[in-house]
Amino acid sequence: MGPAADDRHLRHVVSRLAALSNVRWSLADEYDLVKSEPAEQWHHFADVIRAYARRTAGATSPCRNRSAASGR
């Protein structure tokens, strides 16, 4: 895929998964295993994940929601 298709696919996946409270984002293993992408591209992927995960999940984090529901 080209860069535009990569971004489109990543935004789609992040938008779908960010709505779930039990999803944690980690690029640690992928960064080490996939040698075809330069470090700058991994930083770009992380930026896209941060931006779209926040936008989709809203301003409150799942941890805050659970704490408020449990009365803590």
Side-chain angles (χ1 to χ4, degrees):
M1 288 193 281
D6 284 344
D7 283 357
R8 191 171 46 250
H9 180 75
L10 185 57
R11 286 192 306 264
H12 171 75
V13 170
V14 171
S15 295
R16 297 288 302 247
L17 294 176
L20 303 172
S21 64
N22 61 339
V23 173
R24 297 189 78 176
W25 303 99
S26 174
L27 297 175
D29 292 334
E30 288 78 4
Y31 183 84
D32 293 336
L33 295 174
V34 180
K35 303 292 186 189
S36 62
E37 299 288 348
E40 296 80 24
Q41 186 64 30
W42 286 106
H43 292 292
H44 174 71
F45 290 156
D47 292 340
V48 170
I49 290 170
R50 277 188 214 102
Y52 276 81
R54 286 184 191 136
R55 183 178 304 158
T56 305
T60 59
S61 74
C63 294
R64 286 189 200 143
N65 291 341
R66 275 189 241 120
S67 295
S70 66
R72 290 191 239 173

